[in-house]
Amino acid sequence: MRLGTWIVAVASAAFVAGALAGCASSATPPPAGRAVGSELARALDALLDARPLDRALWGIEIAEARTGAVLYARNANRHFVPASNLKLVVTAAALDRLGPEYTYRTSLYTNAPIEDGLLRGDLVLYGRGDPNLSGRYTTGPTAIFAALADSLRARGVRAVGGRVVADESYFDADYTRPDWEAYDLLWWYAAPVSALSFNDNSIDFTIRPGAPGAAPLITAAPASSFYSLENTALTVAHLDSIRQPLDFTRAPGTNRVLAYGYVQAGAPEDTESFSVVSPAAWTATVFRETLEAAGIPVADDSVTVVSDPARSPVGSASTLLAEHVSPPLEKVIFSINKRSQNWHAEQLLKTLGKEGRGRGTFEDGLAVERDFLRGAGIEPEAILLRDASGLSANNLVTPHALVTLLRYMRGHPRGDVYFASLPATGGDGSLRKRFANGAAAGKVYAKDGYIQNVNSLSGYLVATPADTLVFSILANNHGLEKSQAIAAIDSAVAIVAALRSR
């Protein structure tokens, strides 16, 4: 249905024990001074060369963070699809170029006078790419809009005589990448990327099963006239191979959403976040509805979207009426790395393009990333970029490049923020249930990744307080169940931790 909830897999003790046993049984002991490295090579090779892992393409580099000494490498200079490990690039570049205190502003402008409480013209909602114009850090999805309504009222506005203009011209209107899968475009993780965006440019549908034979109950938030939902799904006593689980689609190019398929009776409540078409119009429509609910009527219900900077109504003669300032960029970095928020990564990419090169486009954002990577000592051909999130299967990186990046950020002035943004074993983020036991427990700070037949994990292994390792493990073309691939990667990390902590 979408990028599903991670299948949590703890590193297999049998995998680790078998690999270490294979290492110990070697007839010829390693030369003095290379014991750990040789043991590590034998143990990891024993793990990865056994069926079914031997059919996968593995790219690995493990190095000391301080010296850069490589402890193990396997195809480390070959290209691999990184999946969400690519988010390590955009978050590093953003911390370097923008800083953790950078904020976004979303503004209300007008070119018309206010007379006796009436704004005699249009109200312009001007966006600059804030990915958190939502309820993520407030009391509800429209709380920011309600606060803007309060600010308008404080300026004496009691009614709007024109319409709401949605100005998204700070970024371009190229909303998605051409090599993202068509089905992915229906969901929150591949929602359209716009300078004026709201609620991750998604509608949150909550599904509860009904009685067998009845339709499931589907509620939508935030409520708006911007979309419609037709529910043709049914609740059944049992799902089977014939009955397709509930799914959503839409009439092409519209926000007419269709729910179809089956829900099993007694199933737990579930929430699916479905992307919208025309993000700026979505944002402005909900904003207008919030204004009217707050007692500020808008004469014209239509919404005009402005995408071309040359046609923007905002200029030097415009009056700023109200403004929302976002939480600091550090929170965006945390959402991208800890929660693997694809859409936030792409919003941040266009922000880099706008701030670094004057244009809020994918290509300009990627150019800023490439400049940053060159400064970090990474050869341009080592990382081939198509997006910021890793959703495209046409992104390519080498394990050595990711290790170089991670080492660079460990010594960066903002490296502590970067390190803290990574998922941690036993902590928050996507690794919270991985590495629960064994030698790696509590020692792994890394970004995971998944797309079809690709799994990845890159980050830091704090073997001892004085000994930090940097690693990148990329599995491509593996054909495994996701849980199998995760278990294999976790086993590899556990082997490193066990040998390094002796």
Side-chain angles (χ1 to χ4, degrees):
M1 175 179 283
R2 74 282 185 205
L3 284 183
T5 303
W6 277 101
I7 299 174
V8 177
V10 176
S12 164
F15 266 151
V16 176
L20 292 177
C23 161
S25 65
S26 173
T28 304
R34 298 182 58 220
V36 172
S38 295
E39 277 190 290
L40 181 60
R42 290 193 184 95
L44 290 178
D45 288 346
L47 170 70
L48 302 177
D49 291 339
R51 290 291 176 90
L53 304 184
D54 63 328
R55 291 194 174 97
L57 181 61
W58 292 92
I60 301 175
E61 183 166 297
I62 302 163
E64 293 179 345
R66 185 177 61 84
T67 67
V70 176
L71 306 179
Y72 180 83
R74 186 180 181 112
N75 298 319
N77 285 304
R78 293 186 179 275
H79 280 137
F80 288 81
V81 179
S84 283
N85 275 203
L86 196 69
K87 294 180 174 73
L88 293 168
V89 176
V90 72
T91 51
L95 284 172
D96 181 79
R97 299 302 168 92
L98 304 176
E101 300 304 320
Y102 177 91
T103 56
Y104 293 89
R105 292 178 296 119
T106 303
S107 309
L108 290 176
Y109 293 100
T110 190
N111 296 315
I114 301 169
E115 298 176 353
D116 298 324
L118 176 64
L119 175 62
R120 294 188 176 277
D122 293 338
L123 181 63
V124 182
L125 180 62
Y126 188 89
R128 296 179 180 86
D130 187 356
N132 284 312
L133 208 63
S134 66
R136 184 168 284 105
Y137 299 111
T138 64
T139 56
T142 59
I144 292 170
F145 291 163
L148 288 172
D150 289 342
S151 296
L152 282 180
R153 190 177 289 105
R155 290 293 300 264
V157 177
R158 297 293 182 270
V160 177
R163 59 191 167 183
V164 174
V165 175
D167 194 328
E168 64 172 359
S169 63
Y170 195 75
F171 292 170
D172 72 354
D174 183 13
Y175 296 140
T176 60
R177 301 300 279 157
D179 45 3
W180 290 353
E181 295 288 340
Y183 182 76
D184 290 341
L185 299 178
L186 298 175
W187 302 101
W188 61 273
Y189 56 83
V193 180
S194 167
L196 187 58
S197 296
F198 166 67
N199 199 54
D200 295 5
N201 287 339
S202 299
I203 309 158
D204 299 321
F205 291 114
T206 299
I207 306 108
R208 301 177 184 86
L217 176 64
I218 303 178
T219 56
S224 175
S225 62
F226 186 76
Y227 61 87
S228 63
L229 172 67
E230 181 183 358
N231 180 9
T232 66
L234 285 175
T235 307
V236 294
H238 298 286
L239 286 177
D240 54 36
S241 59
I242 298 175
R243 295 185 175 97
Q244 179 178 351
L246 183 142
D247 207 344
F248 292 86
T249 190
R250 61 168 160 249
T254 77
N255 290 291
R256 297 195 304 272
V257 184
L258 172 68
Y260 63 97
Y262 299 90
V263 176
Q264 183 166 304
E269 177 182 294
D270 186 28
T271 298
E272 303 291 349
S273 297
F274 191 83
S275 70
V276 298
V277 172
S278 189
W282 157 244
T283 306
T285 299
V286 178
F287 173 66
R288 174 183 57 76
E289 292 168 342
T290 304
L291 284 183
E292 293 177 335
I296 302 177
V298 179
D300 188 342
D301 283 352
S302 67
V303 167
T304 298
V305 175
V306 177
S307 303
D308 183 354
R311 301 177 64 86
S312 173
V314 176
S316 58
S318 300
T319 300
L320 175 65
L321 297 175
E323 193 162 72
H324 169 73
V325 179
S326 74
L329 185 71
E330 181 176 354
K331 289 186 178 292
V332 180
I333 300 295
F334 276 46
S335 291
I336 293 170
N337 282 341
K338 286 189 183 292
R339 309 297 178 191
S340 208
Q341 288 278 3
N342 285 6
W343 179 77
H344 287 214
E346 305 301 346
Q347 290 283 122
L348 186 53
L349 182 68
K350 285 195 175 184
T351 303
L352 283 172
K354 182 67 174 183
E355 295 288 355
R357 294 169 63 93
R359 297 190 302 175
T361 71
F362 286 116
E363 290 304 329
D364 283 284
L366 294 174
V368 172
E369 284 191 338
R370 293 184 190 103
D371 288 343
F372 162 73
L373 291 170
R374 278 191 289 270
I378 297 170
E379 298 175 351
E381 61 271 19
I383 298 186
L384 306 181
L385 300 167
R386 288 289 301 161
D387 60 29
S389 62
L391 188 59
S392 170
N394 292 321
N395 293 299
L396 293 173
V397 307
T398 69
H400 177 67
L402 288 179
V403 165
T404 302
L405 171 65
L406 289 160
R407 285 195 64 231
Y408 178 79
M409 289 306 295
R410 201 69 192 108
H412 193 280
R414 292 156 181 165
D416 288 346
V417 177
Y418 189 69
F419 184 87
S421 75
L422 296 175
T425 60
D428 54 356
S430 53
L431 294 189
R432 62 190 178 278
K433 295 183 180 179
R434 290 170 66 175
F435 305 102
N437 302 292
K443 298 179 179 179
V444 180
Y445 303 81
K447 182 74 196 78
D448 52 343
Y450 167 78
I451 58 177
Q452 189 67 37
N453 293 322
V454 173
N455 281 86
S456 54
L457 186 71
S458 299
Y460 305 98
L461 173 65
V462 183
T464 69
D467 182 23
T468 296
L469 304 183
V470 184
F471 68 89
S472 179
I473 303 175
L474 309 177
N476 280 196
N477 304 329
H478 58 60
L480 302 167
E481 293 292 331
K482 186 162 62 174
S483 58
Q484 280 184 296
I486 290 173
I489 289 172
D490 291 0
S491 295
V493 175
I495 287 170
V496 179
L499 289 174
R500 195 68 178 180
S501 59
R502 282 183 179 176

